[in-house]
Amino acid sequence: MRTSDFDYNLPPELIAQEPAAQRDGCRLLVMNRTTGALEDRIFRDIADYLRPGDLLVANETRVMPARLLGTKRGTGGAAEVFLLREMPAHEAKTDKSALWEVLVRPGKRLKPGTGAVVDFSDANGNVALSAEIVDWVENAEKGERLARLTTSLPSLDEALHAVGHAPLPPYIKNYAGDEELYQTVYSRRESSAAAPTAGLHFTPELIERLREQGVRWETVELEVGLDTFRIVDEDDPEQHTIHTERYTVPERTVSAIAETHECGGRVIAVGTTSVRSLESAWDAEAGTVTPREREATSLYLLPGSEFHVVDALVTNFHVPRSTLMMLVSAFSTRENIMAAYAHAIEERYRLLSFGDAMFIA
């Protein structure tokens, strides 16, 4: 097995640069997990493939306004700070101040120990938030730093929403539309640097229609990191170290999974992040899924991996040579997935985060 086995020619013109006009009006490529047989449908037609007693499990995380564009204090030079994760509780944390792990640009001018501060202004031109670069992150691979965020507003949350932007993937250029379209309609707590994009196709009306059809709906939470877009550089994918993310599988979802399997229904993951959450929560010794609360997972699913919980998968089309290509290949077969992608490209599907969807069952 080589990383090149999960490569394909991605036509740039097929990378969707904006969402579909209607969330559930995008295209849906239905693939038989075993045979690889394909059908071309519309996303809302997924109802035709779900049965009473099936369970959909979606990642309800919400994308943070993590991209901050500002100016370096003292010089006025343009600077960018990208929020990765808030550090665990520390003495300096208040409603108006907290320590975050961040990426910065330009890196050479925003080094710890130099007194570097970046100011961010609201729509009225008033400085609403500042980030002081205070330290390096230990064992950082990409120049991550620690920044102390402070605000003059009543809370950091208010400040972030006054100056921050949803961080779109790097392959989406110049999107100036409604950032809410990069959020799922069921998203809740802001904790991710990227959207769980398979869920973008669901509407409240479609979810309600599926419930009336006898399909259950439950959620997990996985805090999606930037590394979800990372391409595997190693020739041998087993030498790649996958990123670590925090996830939650609540008791109600655990119970729903058990009831679904007892009644012969299918557990259908909405997105690869839901797959990683559910399979990470599998307790091999107990032979069941167990509740988890913001635990860390670095689960890496490659061809040959076993799936103990998930029976079917709703997913988008993924970047070549990514761990996500490997995950969907593990769920079916590499040959089936590559044939499906070739078909999607030939039929001019819209690809990646704002693009069309697959249902693998």
Side-chain angles (χ1 to χ4, degrees):
M1 182 169 56
R2 312 302 296 173
T3 299
S4 57
D5 294 335
F6 306 94
D7 201 356
Y8 68 93
N9 180 33
L10 172 59
E13 68 274 14
L14 295 187
I15 299 175
Q17 295 299 311
E18 58 186 20
Q22 295 179 309
R23 286 181 184 263
D24 62 354
C26 69
R27 298 172 75 181
L28 176 69
L29 181 58
V30 180
M31 189 185 85
N32 184 294
R33 178 182 177 186
T34 304
T35 68
L38 301 172
E39 295 182 68
D40 297 301
R41 302 293 297 268
I42 300 300
F43 189 81
R44 65 179 67 96
D45 295 340
I46 196 170
D48 296 339
Y49 298 88
L50 302 183
R51 305 187 292 262
D54 284 345
L55 170 67
L56 287 165
V57 181
N59 181 6
E60 67 179 5
T61 188
R62 187 170 175 83
V63 184
M64 301 181 294
R67 187 174 182 227
L68 309 176
L69 304 175
T71 56
K72 184 180 178 184
R73 186 179 297 177
T75 68
E80 179 176 343
V81 174
F82 195 105
L83 305 180
L84 296 176
R85 66 186 182 96
E86 185 176 355
M87 301 306 293
H90 52 89
E91 293 181 2
K93 179 177 172 60
T94 68
D95 288 344
K96 299 166 73 73
S97 177
L99 197 64
W100 278 76
E101 180 180 331
V102 303
L103 290 171
V104 301
R105 188 164 54 183
K108 291 183 179 179
R109 299 179 183 176
L110 297 171
K111 292 182 178 180
T114 64
V117 177
V118 181
D119 294 318
F120 308 95
S121 299
D122 61 19
N124 297 318
N126 301 314
V127 174
L129 181 72
S130 298
E132 179 186 4
I133 312 303
V134 297
D135 205 352
W136 298 98
V137 172
E138 187 176 355
N139 299 321
E141 296 181 356
K142 293 179 289 189
E144 295 94 327
R145 291 136 164 90
L146 292 179
R148 181 174 294 110
L149 304 186
T150 56
T151 183
S152 58
L153 300 185
S155 71
L156 275 178
D157 183 68
E158 182 177 336
L160 288 173
H161 284 85
V163 303
H165 304 274
L168 296 175
Y171 46 73
I172 294 177
K173 312 292 185 183
N174 304 318
Y175 175 68
D178 185 358
E179 291 187 356
E180 191 62 25
L181 296 178
Y182 190 59
Q183 305 277 11
T184 63
V185 298
Y186 49 82
S187 61
R188 297 183 65 186
R189 190 174 69 87
E190 289 182 343
S191 57
S192 285
T197 54
L200 295 179
H201 312 295
F202 286 91
T203 65
E205 294 78 13
L206 178 57
I207 294 171
E208 183 58 30
R209 175 185 166 196
L210 294 174
R211 282 180 165 147
E212 292 174 353
Q213 186 177 311
V215 178
R216 299 179 68 175
W217 179 278
E218 291 294 349
T219 58
V220 294
E221 184 178 284
L222 183 138
E223 300 172 4
V224 189
L226 276 185
D227 276 338
T228 191
F229 303 116
R230 182 180 167 196
I231 293 173
V232 177
D233 293 324
E234 296 83 355
D235 291 333
D236 179 355
E238 293 185 352
Q239 298 301 312
H240 177 72
T241 301
I242 198 169
H243 49 286
T244 298
E245 294 164 318
R246 289 181 291 189
Y247 75 104
T248 296
V249 180
E251 177 64 49
R252 68 176 190 278
T253 302
V254 170
S255 298
I257 291 168
E259 293 165 6
T260 297
H261 280 158
E262 286 174 5
C263 296
R266 297 173 298 173
V267 173
I268 302 165
V270 178
T272 57
T273 59
S274 296
V275 173
R276 293 186 69 227
S277 298
L278 295 174
E279 297 295 335
S280 295
W282 174 258
D283 186 329
E285 189 171 321
T288 187
V289 179
T290 56
R292 308 296 172 98
E293 179 69 31
R294 299 198 77 193
E295 293 192 17
T297 179
S298 55
L299 181 65
Y300 188 11
L301 293 165
L302 291 159
S305 299
E306 291 187 49
F307 291 79
H308 302 280
V309 186
V310 177
D311 304 303
L313 170 62
V314 180
T315 187
N316 276 21
F317 294 91
H318 303 296
V319 173
R321 300 173 66 93
S322 64
T323 60
L324 304 182
M325 283 294 292
M326 297 168 191
L327 185 154
V328 294
S329 296
F331 190 69
S332 178
T333 67
R334 174 195 168 276
E335 292 73 22
N336 286 347
I337 292 297
M338 299 310 287
Y341 274 57
H343 174 86
I345 291 169
E346 182 178 358
E347 295 297 322
R348 313 302 285 176
Y349 274 66
R350 301 168 72 246
L351 306 180
L352 307 188
S353 293
F354 272 153
D356 298 320
M358 288 185 72
F359 180 50
I360 307 173

